[in-house]
Amino acid sequence: MNPLQRRGFLSAASFFGIAGVAQAATFGNPDHPAQGMRNAVSPSSKTDPGPKNPALASQFPDFQSPPSTDVDGMPLFWASFNNAHKRIQNGGWAREVTQDDFAISEDISGVNMRLSAGGIREMHWHQQAEWAIMLTGKCRITTLDEQGRPSVDDVEAGDLWYFPPGLPHSLQGLGPDGAEFLLAFDNGKSSEFNTLLVTDWIAHTPPEVLAKNFGVPEEVFKNIPLDNLWIFQGDIPPDLPIDRKNSRVVPGAQKVIYKLSQSQPLSRTRGGKAQIADSRNFPISKTVAAALETIEPGGMREMHWHPNADEWAFVIKGKARVTVFNTGPKAQTANFNPADVWYIKKSLGHYVENTGDDVLQVISVFKSDRFAEVSLSDWLTHVPPEMVRQTLNIDPDVLARFPTGRPDFMPL
Ligand code: MN
Ligand code: MN
């Protein structure tokens, strides 16, 4: 049997769990030399007597013992907010994962921020678009669009916002316990610690220019802060209608918020569901598409890829195991816990298993105006069955049992 035939035979056999074949020496990895614990015969090649931190190592069972189908040589696609340095000030904190710390995340950088009740992320703007999902609590957001139309909105867990590049905005935690949210910038190099701040600009403009600009005496500006505030403790704001009235809000501004968690799922099976927000249902979100995926215990997000954009994903709750496939062939499997992040380059194959006892929830972000995916089972069931038989040695009768269309989540 030549290696090509064996690859087909073994993968088909393992898929259907044919007894005996599973014990073959190169099971699951036809490449040579074979990798993985099950292909290591000498006892010492399976042990790890050197220095280690068991608490940290135990978080990565599939790095400690990768599936034998993994082939090394792929850049790390795992990162986390759990080990990101927090900048804490009176009023809240933020931590971030940017390309500086996570080399492959070219298109997206992420920020996790907390604001206390009344805590203010000061009025600011930046060159990148800002997308966000609320994780807990309540937050008030204010913006001004390029036609001079203001918005003031309150958001809570599961709600999104999107600010186009340059849009001025502020964020404030509400009672009783403030807010925590996840931000994504549509540029991997963006940082929350490097934004255009209103206090900085005012402090770095000559007082006579400020007087001329606003048509008031210079003395008006004698008490401005000389250092920026970034995040600071403020007073809990009044009810929303009062702040809207005081901000001169009139109907007509484009909506900057979207209630993703209350939206109709794009797909739903026993294995899970996906809720999508992109420019088709959230028109302002022109550079970021998002998918909120809920995967049931034992469920799996099917083998797929995204043809139009890299995937940056944040685990909201639960435990996941993900494998990414690239040319070479190369494959890498990693484990994820809440507040961990993965990054998968455009068109690389991947799947997501829920490896925990509870629901797994993941928010995925793409630098694109629309969410797009290609499903492997959709493809295999939409070519002539003879093509699949001659390629994978899978009988057309068996292929007929594959899910047709795009299941998204298994089991059906
Ligand atoms: Mn911002
Ligand atoms: Mn995906």
Side-chain angles (χ1 to χ4, degrees):
M1 193 184 281
N2 72 36
L4 205 64
Q5 287 170 323
R6 185 171 60 181
R7 177 198 294 260
F9 177 62
L10 285 179
S11 53
S14 60
F15 188 87
F16 296 108
I18 294 170
V21 176
Q23 300 311 312
T26 60
F27 170 80
N29 188 347
D31 297 314
H32 293 287
Q35 297 185 22
M37 195 71 87
R38 68 188 309 152
N39 293 313
V41 177
S42 69
S44 313
S45 54
K46 304 182 197 208
T47 58
D48 179 5
K52 65 178 67 65
N53 173 345
L56 187 56
S58 70
Q59 301 287 306
F60 305 99
D62 286 288
F63 285 171
Q64 304 303 318
S65 177
S68 53
T69 42
D70 273 14
V71 180
D72 270 330
M74 203 185 262
L76 185 66
F77 71 100
W78 180 99
S80 186
F81 286 96
N82 291 292
N83 62 354
H85 191 269
K86 260 183 194 164
R87 175 174 169 179
I88 306 175
Q89 296 184 187
N90 186 30
W93 52 256
R95 52 187 177 177
E96 62 183 15
V97 175
T98 74
Q99 200 179 7
D100 281 353
D101 308 302
F102 191 25
I104 67 168
S105 66
E106 261 179 63
D107 282 356
I108 302 284
S109 70
V111 176
N112 177 205
M113 187 179 289
R114 166 94 172 124
L115 294 174
S116 63
I120 295 174
R121 170 65 174 94
E122 83 158 273
M123 300 166 69
H124 72 282
W125 68 105
H126 28 75
Q127 294 175 320
Q128 300 75 31
E130 171 177 324
W131 173 99
I133 183 166
M134 284 287 291
L135 300 172
T136 67
K138 288 195 166 101
C139 190
R140 180 160 300 171
I141 62 179
T142 77
T143 68
L144 181 74
D145 75 11
E146 62 186 40
Q147 294 178 48
R149 299 174 299 193
S151 77
V152 182
D153 290 293
D154 287 353
V155 286
E156 57 191 9
D159 293 350
L160 309 184
W161 69 73
Y162 179 91
F163 303 148
L167 189 90
H169 54 280
S170 69
L171 311 168
Q172 184 170 23
L174 300 175
D177 189 35
E180 189 176 331
F181 43 85
L182 176 75
L183 300 179
F185 294 116
D186 62 353
N187 180 321
K189 296 213 175 298
S190 301
S191 170
E192 185 61 28
F193 309 140
N194 182 21
T195 58
L196 295 149
L197 301 171
V198 72
T199 52
D200 273 345
W201 200 17
I202 298 283
H204 292 88
T205 303
E208 63 273 20
V209 172
L210 292 172
K212 208 188 293 184
N213 188 72
F214 295 107
V216 293
E218 287 182 29
E219 291 70 46
V220 167
F221 302 97
K222 69 176 191 294
N223 293 325
I224 60 164
L226 298 181
D227 296 305
N228 71 62
L229 300 170
W230 188 60
I231 285 176
F232 64 101
Q233 183 60 49
D235 302 328
I236 292 185
D239 288 346
L240 183 62
I242 298 171
D243 257 3
R244 280 188 167 149
K245 181 164 178 281
N246 292 342
S247 306
R248 304 184 172 100
V249 172
V250 290
Q254 194 168 20
K255 279 185 82 69
V256 296
I257 65 169
Y258 182 76
K259 293 198 169 296
L260 177 61
S261 61
Q262 294 173 25
S263 69
Q264 209 44 39
L266 176 81
S267 56
R268 176 174 228 147
T269 67
R270 281 193 297 137
K273 64 174 178 178
Q275 293 161 288
I276 307 296
D278 63 20
S279 62
R280 292 171 290 192
N281 55 1
F282 185 25
I284 198 169
S285 192
K286 287 194 168 47
T287 64
V288 176
L292 179 63
E293 297 182 349
T294 305
I295 306 176
E296 299 298 326
M300 171 176 162
R301 175 78 168 85
E302 62 158 331
M303 298 167 80
H304 68 281
W305 64 90
H306 306 281
N308 61 337
D310 299 355
E311 173 175 342
W312 186 99
F314 173 91
V315 178
I316 297 174
K317 58 185 172 191
K319 295 172 92 68
R321 187 171 96 133
V322 179
T323 302
V324 179
F325 160 73
N326 197 359
T327 62
K330 292 189 176 71
Q332 187 183 103
T333 302
N335 308 99
F336 297 85
N337 286 291
D340 289 348
V341 172
W342 70 69
Y343 193 93
I344 298 168
K345 293 281 188 187
K346 181 161 66 181
S347 288
L348 299 195
H350 58 281
Y351 57 84
V352 180
E353 290 173 284
N354 180 345
T355 49
D357 298 326
D358 301 313
V359 162
L360 167 68
Q361 196 169 45
V362 177
I363 182 76
S364 292
V365 172
F366 307 84
K367 184 176 181 176
S368 176
D369 62 343
R370 69 190 197 286
F371 174 80
E373 67 174 307
V374 177
S375 148
L376 181 60
S377 71
D378 196 21
W379 188 24
L380 292 179
T381 55
H382 290 87
V383 290
E386 263 306 301
M387 176 75 74
V388 176
R389 189 189 67 76
Q390 291 173 43
T391 306
L392 296 175
N393 295 329
I394 294 172
D395 195 82
D397 292 345
V398 178
L399 183 65
R401 306 210 303 261
F402 281 31
T404 58
R406 206 175 77 185
D408 279 348
F409 300 94
M410 294 297 285
L412 294 174

